[in-house]
Amino acid sequence: MELIAQRPNGTKDVAPTEVYKWHTIERIAAETAECCGFKEIRFPTFENTALFKRSVGDTTDVVQKEMYTVTAKSRDNGKDSGEFTLRPEGTAGAARAVVENGLLNSALPLKVFYIISCFRHEKVQKGRLREFHQFGAEMYGSADAGADAEVIAMVAKILDRLGIDNVELMINSIGCPKCRAEYHKALKEYFSARKDELCPTCLDRLERNPMRILDCKSPICQDIAKDAPLILDFLCEDCSAHFEKLKRLLGEMGIGYTVDPHIVRGLDYYTKTVFEFVTKDIGAQGTVCGGGRYDGLIEQIGGNPTPALGFAMGIERLILTMDSKGAQYIPDKKCDLYIASMDEDAQTKAAVLVDKLRSEGFYVEFDTVGRGLKAQMKYADKIGAAFAIVLGSNEIESGKAMLKNMATGEQTEISLGDKFVDDFSNVAVANMFSGTLDDFSMGNGI
Ligand code: ATP
Ligand code: MG
């Protein structure tokens, strides 16, 4: 057999046996965000291309090289044709959604989070995919550095609850348009002197947005950028005070950080604070979270001026990081009971009993593939069933069966009549509490 097509390069399937890792991250991140006052927002997978060009910035790698864009033909006399792009990130779509739905007209700050897939036509490497997933959060309406500290602390808490302690927080300030004007002049001067060595993309950036050169992935540009003037030396009074307050707050909260004056982030909308959480344990793509402030973004996309900030963490990179240090995940639900059947009447009875227990929230299985008894019991073992019952004509006739504890081999008689659900619940609950407290804890603070 040959598949007619394989999955596109840079995409991944998640097998049902691996999905507990995703659930752990999604659940812990969402629960932590909810404790911090964030609520989930959902928005489309694709947007009008103009949204990304204007917000992410048309001199960024993302817009210049990595967008998946389609030109849709009109189905309505030319009125609905246009260019659409699969979202390369979440901030622009979330910002568009909160403005379009008037969510910034109510009490601020507004705090939202999302779990989304993103699409970038990048060079595929470990930790760098073409479809990847982000847990992201955005906070609108707070200009104070207290909000920056709150958002950074939330990321730290998520990482901590996931058992990720092999990351470092790097922070920087990239100022506001006011201080950046002077900085751009200095950068232009610096890079113009080595103009001939820059890559063609950066040559264009030199005129339009010299700060982008600092984020170029080409080794030659990176090497030149190493000695470029630093934005921290150009901060205006306001930006400087904001950065000092953030550092003081992080210190008070006991959140360790390093100031890295070279971080500029890959997207144009950032102002003032930028930050990254980086690990050395998963290879070259070690940034598990990137974020910062974007005070100009809402106005830039057509809303009323509203300060904003946020972050996104790459879920695939979080999994790589957790796996690199053997961090614990929340385990999948284990099968509570397998009801084996020896003939068709018994199978019918099994189907009815299974259905009753499932209504009570138990995870129960029975045979639907016609296995013999021995193979059914082997299967029960394989799926880790805590208990098993074997139904044959004797059991059906007497209305009673033996409930076998698969771990201890212990057997208890159980009624198959009206008391079945109650009897099973009692035994199952007693069994859950018979383990040590350690067996029962799920780790990760949950
Ligand atoms: P990088 O410098 O690693 O390319 P970025 O600056 O492009 O990252 P952001 O746009 O800030 O990344 O995205 C936030 C997070 O999403 C990153 O920190 C990373 O964890 C994840 N991420 C970004 N691009 C990819 C990708 N192509 N594959 C997997 N994860 C990604
Ligand atoms: Mg990138």
mmCIF file with all atom_site columns, all heavy atoms in Angstrom, residues 128-145:
data_model
loop_
_atom_site.group_PDB
_atom_site.id
_atom_site.type_symbol
_atom_site.label_atom_id
_atom_site.label_alt_id
_atom_site.label_comp_id
_atom_site.label_asym_id
_atom_site.label_entity_id
_atom_site.label_seq_id
_atom_site.pdbx_PDB_ins_code
_atom_site.Cartn_x
_atom_site.Cartn_y
_atom_site.Cartn_z
_atom_site.occupancy
_atom_site.B_iso_or_equiv
_atom_site.pdbx_formal_charge
_atom_site.auth_seq_id
_atom_site.auth_comp_id
_atom_site.auth_asym_id
_atom_site.auth_atom_id
_atom_site.pdbx_PDB_model_num
ATOM 1   N N   . ARG A 1 128 ? 11.859 23.965 14.968 1.00 0.00 ? 128 ARG A N   1
ATOM 2   C CA  . ARG A 1 128 ? 11.389 24.982 14.038 1.00 0.00 ? 128 ARG A CA  1
ATOM 3   C C   . ARG A 1 128 ? 10.540 24.319 12.958 1.00 0.00 ? 128 ARG A C   1
ATOM 4   O O   . ARG A 1 128 ? 11.069 23.633 12.090 1.00 0.00 ? 128 ARG A O   1
ATOM 5   C CB  . ARG A 1 128 ? 12.572 25.747 13.422 1.00 0.00 ? 128 ARG A CB  1
ATOM 6   C CG  . ARG A 1 128 ? 12.123 27.024 12.699 1.00 0.00 ? 128 ARG A CG  1
ATOM 7   C CD  . ARG A 1 128 ? 13.276 27.813 12.117 1.00 0.00 ? 128 ARG A CD  1
ATOM 8   N NE  . ARG A 1 128 ? 14.161 28.461 13.087 1.00 0.00 ? 128 ARG A NE  1
ATOM 9   C CZ  . ARG A 1 128 ? 13.805 29.449 13.896 1.00 0.00 ? 128 ARG A CZ  1
ATOM 10  N NH1 . ARG A 1 128 ? 12.571 29.908 13.881 1.00 0.00 ? 128 ARG A NH1 1
ATOM 11  N NH2 . ARG A 1 128 ? 14.678 29.971 14.719 1.00 0.00 ? 128 ARG A NH2 1
ATOM 12  N N   . LEU A 1 129 ? 9.250  24.494 13.060 1.00 0.00 ? 129 LEU A N   1
ATOM 13  C CA  . LEU A 1 129 ? 8.301  23.817 12.177 1.00 0.00 ? 129 LEU A CA  1
ATOM 14  C C   . LEU A 1 129 ? 7.585  24.821 11.285 1.00 0.00 ? 129 LEU A C   1
ATOM 15  O O   . LEU A 1 129 ? 7.711  26.032 11.478 1.00 0.00 ? 129 LEU A O   1
ATOM 16  C CB  . LEU A 1 129 ? 7.266  23.075 13.038 1.00 0.00 ? 129 LEU A CB  1
ATOM 17  C CG  . LEU A 1 129 ? 7.840  21.981 13.927 1.00 0.00 ? 129 LEU A CG  1
ATOM 18  C CD1 . LEU A 1 129 ? 6.889  21.665 15.061 1.00 0.00 ? 129 LEU A CD1 1
ATOM 19  C CD2 . LEU A 1 129 ? 8.114  20.746 13.095 1.00 0.00 ? 129 LEU A CD2 1
ATOM 20  N N   . ARG A 1 130 ? 6.817  24.306 10.339 1.00 0.00 ? 130 ARG A N   1
ATOM 21  C CA  . ARG A 1 130 ? 6.030  25.197 9.473  1.00 0.00 ? 130 ARG A CA  1
ATOM 22  C C   . ARG A 1 130 ? 4.612  25.356 9.986  1.00 0.00 ? 130 ARG A C   1
ATOM 23  O O   . ARG A 1 130 ? 3.980  26.373 9.765  1.00 0.00 ? 130 ARG A O   1
ATOM 24  C CB  . ARG A 1 130 ? 6.074  24.680 8.039  1.00 0.00 ? 130 ARG A CB  1
ATOM 25  C CG  . ARG A 1 130 ? 7.460  24.869 7.486  1.00 0.00 ? 130 ARG A CG  1
ATOM 26  C CD  . ARG A 1 130 ? 7.604  24.421 6.062  1.00 0.00 ? 130 ARG A CD  1
ATOM 27  N NE  . ARG A 1 130 ? 8.925  24.824 5.584  1.00 0.00 ? 130 ARG A NE  1
ATOM 28  C CZ  . ARG A 1 130 ? 9.470  24.408 4.461  1.00 0.00 ? 130 ARG A CZ  1
ATOM 29  N NH1 . ARG A 1 130 ? 8.805  23.582 3.681  1.00 0.00 ? 130 ARG A NH1 1
ATOM 30  N NH2 . ARG A 1 130 ? 10.648 24.834 4.115  1.00 0.00 ? 130 ARG A NH2 1
ATOM 31  N N   . GLU A 1 131 ? 4.098  24.318 10.622 1.00 0.00 ? 131 GLU A N   1
ATOM 32  C CA  . GLU A 1 131 ? 2.902  24.514 11.438 1.00 0.00 ? 131 GLU A CA  1
ATOM 33  C C   . GLU A 1 131 ? 3.327  24.211 12.867 1.00 0.00 ? 131 GLU A C   1
ATOM 34  O O   . GLU A 1 131 ? 3.817  23.119 13.152 1.00 0.00 ? 131 GLU A O   1
ATOM 35  C CB  . GLU A 1 131 ? 1.752  23.584 11.052 1.00 0.00 ? 131 GLU A CB  1
ATOM 36  C CG  . GLU A 1 131 ? 0.547  23.842 11.951 1.00 0.00 ? 131 GLU A CG  1
ATOM 37  C CD  . GLU A 1 131 ? -0.637 22.907 11.726 1.00 0.00 ? 131 GLU A CD  1
ATOM 38  O OE1 . GLU A 1 131 ? -0.467 21.882 11.065 1.00 0.00 ? 131 GLU A OE1 1
ATOM 39  O OE2 . GLU A 1 131 ? -1.717 23.217 12.229 1.00 0.00 ? 131 GLU A OE2 1
ATOM 40  N N   . PHE A 1 132 ? 3.180  25.182 13.762 1.00 0.00 ? 132 PHE A N   1
ATOM 41  C CA  . PHE A 1 132 ? 3.526  24.956 15.164 1.00 0.00 ? 132 PHE A CA  1
ATOM 42  C C   . PHE A 1 132 ? 2.409  25.529 16.026 1.00 0.00 ? 132 PHE A C   1
ATOM 43  O O   . PHE A 1 132 ? 1.462  26.113 15.513 1.00 0.00 ? 132 PHE A O   1
ATOM 44  C CB  . PHE A 1 132 ? 4.894  25.577 15.497 1.00 0.00 ? 132 PHE A CB  1
ATOM 45  C CG  . PHE A 1 132 ? 4.957  27.073 15.316 1.00 0.00 ? 132 PHE A CG  1
ATOM 46  C CD1 . PHE A 1 132 ? 4.792  27.924 16.396 1.00 0.00 ? 132 PHE A CD1 1
ATOM 47  C CD2 . PHE A 1 132 ? 5.158  27.623 14.066 1.00 0.00 ? 132 PHE A CD2 1
ATOM 48  C CE1 . PHE A 1 132 ? 4.852  29.309 16.240 1.00 0.00 ? 132 PHE A CE1 1
ATOM 49  C CE2 . PHE A 1 132 ? 5.209  29.004 13.898 1.00 0.00 ? 132 PHE A CE2 1
ATOM 50  C CZ  . PHE A 1 132 ? 5.057  29.846 14.980 1.00 0.00 ? 132 PHE A CZ  1
ATOM 51  N N   . HIS A 1 133 ? 2.533  25.319 17.322 1.00 0.00 ? 133 HIS A N   1
ATOM 52  C CA  . HIS A 1 133 ? 1.422  25.696 18.202 1.00 0.00 ? 133 HIS A CA  1
ATOM 53  C C   . HIS A 1 133 ? 1.895  26.617 19.315 1.00 0.00 ? 133 HIS A C   1
ATOM 54  O O   . HIS A 1 133 ? 3.002  26.452 19.823 1.00 0.00 ? 133 HIS A O   1
ATOM 55  C CB  . HIS A 1 133 ? 0.755  24.440 18.772 1.00 0.00 ? 133 HIS A CB  1
ATOM 56  C CG  . HIS A 1 133 ? 0.164  23.590 17.690 1.00 0.00 ? 133 HIS A CG  1
ATOM 57  N ND1 . HIS A 1 133 ? 0.931  22.759 16.907 1.00 0.00 ? 133 HIS A ND1 1
ATOM 58  C CD2 . HIS A 1 133 ? -1.107 23.512 17.228 1.00 0.00 ? 133 HIS A CD2 1
ATOM 59  C CE1 . HIS A 1 133 ? 0.149  22.178 16.009 1.00 0.00 ? 133 HIS A CE1 1
ATOM 60  N NE2 . HIS A 1 133 ? -1.091 22.613 16.176 1.00 0.00 ? 133 HIS A NE2 1
ATOM 61  N N   . GLN A 1 134 ? 1.056  27.542 19.647 1.00 0.00 ? 134 GLN A N   1
ATOM 62  C CA  . GLN A 1 134 ? 1.413  28.510 20.689 1.00 0.00 ? 134 GLN A CA  1
ATOM 63  C C   . GLN A 1 134 ? 0.354  28.561 21.768 1.00 0.00 ? 134 GLN A C   1
ATOM 64  O O   . GLN A 1 134 ? -0.846 28.481 21.490 1.00 0.00 ? 134 GLN A O   1
ATOM 65  C CB  . GLN A 1 134 ? 1.506  29.929 20.095 1.00 0.00 ? 134 GLN A CB  1
ATOM 66  C CG  . GLN A 1 134 ? 2.704  30.169 19.213 1.00 0.00 ? 134 GLN A CG  1
ATOM 67  C CD  . GLN A 1 134 ? 2.814  31.629 18.793 1.00 0.00 ? 134 GLN A CD  1
ATOM 68  O OE1 . GLN A 1 134 ? 1.837  32.368 18.831 1.00 0.00 ? 134 GLN A OE1 1
ATOM 69  N NE2 . GLN A 1 134 ? 4.004  32.033 18.384 1.00 0.00 ? 134 GLN A NE2 1
ATOM 70  N N   . PHE A 1 135 ? 0.830  28.731 22.998 1.00 0.00 ? 135 PHE A N   1
ATOM 71  C CA  . PHE A 1 135 ? -0.044 29.223 24.051 1.00 0.00 ? 135 PHE A CA  1
ATOM 72  C C   . PHE A 1 135 ? 0.341  30.689 24.198 1.00 0.00 ? 135 PHE A C   1
ATOM 73  O O   . PHE A 1 135 ? 1.499  30.998 24.460 1.00 0.00 ? 135 PHE A O   1
ATOM 74  C CB  . PHE A 1 135 ? 0.180  28.486 25.378 1.00 0.00 ? 135 PHE A CB  1
ATOM 75  C CG  . PHE A 1 135 ? -0.658 29.076 26.481 1.00 0.00 ? 135 PHE A CG  1
ATOM 76  C CD1 . PHE A 1 135 ? -1.937 28.604 26.709 1.00 0.00 ? 135 PHE A CD1 1
ATOM 77  C CD2 . PHE A 1 135 ? -0.197 30.137 27.239 1.00 0.00 ? 135 PHE A CD2 1
ATOM 78  C CE1 . PHE A 1 135 ? -2.740 29.174 27.688 1.00 0.00 ? 135 PHE A CE1 1
ATOM 79  C CE2 . PHE A 1 135 ? -0.984 30.717 28.215 1.00 0.00 ? 135 PHE A CE2 1
ATOM 80  C CZ  . PHE A 1 135 ? -2.269 30.231 28.436 1.00 0.00 ? 135 PHE A CZ  1
ATOM 81  N N   . GLY A 1 136 ? -0.620 31.583 24.009 1.00 0.00 ? 136 GLY A N   1
ATOM 82  C CA  . GLY A 1 136 ? -0.291 33.008 24.078 1.00 0.00 ? 136 GLY A CA  1
ATOM 83  C C   . GLY A 1 136 ? -1.265 33.750 24.962 1.00 0.00 ? 136 GLY A C   1
ATOM 84  O O   . GLY A 1 136 ? -2.376 33.265 25.242 1.00 0.00 ? 136 GLY A O   1
ATOM 85  N N   . ALA A 1 137 ? -0.846 34.911 25.441 1.00 0.00 ? 137 ALA A N   1
ATOM 86  C CA  . ALA A 1 137 ? -1.738 35.737 26.253 1.00 0.00 ? 137 ALA A CA  1
ATOM 87  C C   . ALA A 1 137 ? -1.494 37.202 25.927 1.00 0.00 ? 137 ALA A C   1
ATOM 88  O O   . ALA A 1 137 ? -0.378 37.580 25.547 1.00 0.00 ? 137 ALA A O   1
ATOM 89  C CB  . ALA A 1 137 ? -1.500 35.470 27.734 1.00 0.00 ? 137 ALA A CB  1
ATOM 90  N N   . GLU A 1 138 ? -2.535 38.001 26.049 1.00 0.00 ? 138 GLU A N   1
ATOM 91  C CA  . GLU A 1 138 ? -2.437 39.429 25.749 1.00 0.00 ? 138 GLU A CA  1
ATOM 92  C C   . GLU A 1 138 ? -3.153 40.198 26.848 1.00 0.00 ? 138 GLU A C   1
ATOM 93  O O   . GLU A 1 138 ? -4.172 39.736 27.370 1.00 0.00 ? 138 GLU A O   1
ATOM 94  C CB  . GLU A 1 138 ? -3.152 39.759 24.413 1.00 0.00 ? 138 GLU A CB  1
ATOM 95  C CG  . GLU A 1 138 ? -2.863 38.806 23.267 1.00 0.00 ? 138 GLU A CG  1
ATOM 96  C CD  . GLU A 1 138 ? -1.516 39.021 22.605 1.00 0.00 ? 138 GLU A CD  1
ATOM 97  O OE1 . GLU A 1 138 ? -0.952 40.128 22.750 1.00 0.00 ? 138 GLU A OE1 1
ATOM 98  O OE2 . GLU A 1 138 ? -1.012 38.081 21.959 1.00 0.00 ? 138 GLU A OE2 1
ATOM 99  N N   . MET A 1 139 ? -2.607 41.375 27.158 1.00 0.00 ? 139 MET A N   1
ATOM 100 C CA  . MET A 1 139 ? -3.214 42.216 28.183 1.00 0.00 ? 139 MET A CA  1
ATOM 101 C C   . MET A 1 139 ? -3.309 43.626 27.614 1.00 0.00 ? 139 MET A C   1
ATOM 102 O O   . MET A 1 139 ? -2.316 44.172 27.132 1.00 0.00 ? 139 MET A O   1
ATOM 103 C CB  . MET A 1 139 ? -2.317 42.173 29.420 1.00 0.00 ? 139 MET A CB  1
ATOM 104 C CG  . MET A 1 139 ? -2.795 42.998 30.570 1.00 0.00 ? 139 MET A CG  1
ATOM 105 S SD  . MET A 1 139 ? -1.851 42.514 32.041 1.00 0.00 ? 139 MET A SD  1
ATOM 106 C CE  . MET A 1 139 ? -2.414 43.759 33.193 1.00 0.00 ? 139 MET A CE  1
ATOM 107 N N   . TYR A 1 140 ? -4.517 44.207 27.625 1.00 0.00 ? 140 TYR A N   1
ATOM 108 C CA  . TYR A 1 140 ? -4.729 45.514 27.005 1.00 0.00 ? 140 TYR A CA  1
ATOM 109 C C   . TYR A 1 140 ? -5.150 46.541 28.046 1.00 0.00 ? 140 TYR A C   1
ATOM 110 O O   . TYR A 1 140 ? -5.962 46.241 28.925 1.00 0.00 ? 140 TYR A O   1
ATOM 111 C CB  . TYR A 1 140 ? -5.843 45.428 25.951 1.00 0.00 ? 140 TYR A CB  1
ATOM 112 C CG  . TYR A 1 140 ? -5.655 44.331 24.932 1.00 0.00 ? 140 TYR A CG  1
ATOM 113 C CD1 . TYR A 1 140 ? -6.281 43.093 25.110 1.00 0.00 ? 140 TYR A CD1 1
ATOM 114 C CD2 . TYR A 1 140 ? -4.864 44.524 23.808 1.00 0.00 ? 140 TYR A CD2 1
ATOM 115 C CE1 . TYR A 1 140 ? -6.113 42.077 24.185 1.00 0.00 ? 140 TYR A CE1 1
ATOM 116 C CE2 . TYR A 1 140 ? -4.695 43.511 22.870 1.00 0.00 ? 140 TYR A CE2 1
ATOM 117 C CZ  . TYR A 1 140 ? -5.317 42.292 23.070 1.00 0.00 ? 140 TYR A CZ  1
ATOM 118 O OH  . TYR A 1 140 ? -5.157 41.294 22.160 1.00 0.00 ? 140 TYR A OH  1
ATOM 119 N N   . GLY A 1 141 ? -4.595 47.750 27.947 1.00 0.00 ? 141 GLY A N   1
ATOM 120 C CA  . GLY A 1 141 ? -5.097 48.865 28.753 1.00 0.00 ? 141 GLY A CA  1
ATOM 121 C C   . GLY A 1 141 ? -4.240 49.220 29.940 1.00 0.00 ? 141 GLY A C   1
ATOM 122 O O   . GLY A 1 141 ? -4.630 50.072 30.732 1.00 0.00 ? 141 GLY A O   1
ATOM 123 N N   . SER A 1 142 ? -3.086 48.605 30.101 1.00 0.00 ? 142 SER A N   1
ATOM 124 C CA  . SER A 1 142 ? -2.243 48.936 31.235 1.00 0.00 ? 142 SER A CA  1
ATOM 125 C C   . SER A 1 142 ? -0.855 49.337 30.743 1.00 0.00 ? 142 SER A C   1
ATOM 126 O O   . SER A 1 142 ? -0.133 48.529 30.165 1.00 0.00 ? 142 SER A O   1
ATOM 127 C CB  . SER A 1 142 ? -2.153 47.730 32.172 1.00 0.00 ? 142 SER A CB  1
ATOM 128 O OG  . SER A 1 142 ? -1.368 48.085 33.261 1.00 0.00 ? 142 SER A OG  1
ATOM 129 N N   . ALA A 1 143 ? -0.488 50.606 31.009 1.00 0.00 ? 143 ALA A N   1
ATOM 130 C CA  . ALA A 1 143 ? 0.807  51.108 30.537 1.00 0.00 ? 143 ALA A CA  1
ATOM 131 C C   . ALA A 1 143 ? 1.894  50.901 31.584 1.00 0.00 ? 143 ALA A C   1
ATOM 132 O O   . ALA A 1 143 ? 3.075  51.057 31.305 1.00 0.00 ? 143 ALA A O   1
ATOM 133 C CB  . ALA A 1 143 ? 0.693  52.590 30.187 1.00 0.00 ? 143 ALA A CB  1
ATOM 134 N N   . ASP A 1 144 ? 1.490  50.534 32.782 1.00 0.00 ? 144 ASP A N   1
ATOM 135 C CA  . ASP A 1 144 ? 2.418  50.474 33.912 1.00 0.00 ? 144 ASP A CA  1
ATOM 136 C C   . ASP A 1 144 ? 3.317  49.235 33.864 1.00 0.00 ? 144 ASP A C   1
ATOM 137 O O   . ASP A 1 144 ? 2.894  48.160 33.428 1.00 0.00 ? 144 ASP A O   1
ATOM 138 C CB  . ASP A 1 144 ? 1.597  50.444 35.208 1.00 0.00 ? 144 ASP A CB  1
ATOM 139 C CG  . ASP A 1 144 ? 2.484  50.564 36.419 1.00 0.00 ? 144 ASP A CG  1
ATOM 140 O OD1 . ASP A 1 144 ? 2.932  51.689 36.701 1.00 0.00 ? 144 ASP A OD1 1
ATOM 141 O OD2 . ASP A 1 144 ? 2.757  49.526 37.063 1.00 0.00 ? 144 ASP A OD2 1
ATOM 142 N N   . ALA A 1 145 ? 4.540  49.395 34.357 1.00 0.00 ? 145 ALA A N   1
ATOM 143 C CA  . ALA A 1 145 ? 5.491  48.281 34.369 1.00 0.00 ? 145 ALA A CA  1
ATOM 144 C C   . ALA A 1 145 ? 5.009  47.132 35.261 1.00 0.00 ? 145 ALA A C   1
ATOM 145 O O   . ALA A 1 145 ? 5.469  46.004 35.132 1.00 0.00 ? 145 ALA A O   1
ATOM 146 C CB  . ALA A 1 145 ? 6.865  48.758 34.826 1.00 0.00 ? 145 ALA A CB  1
#
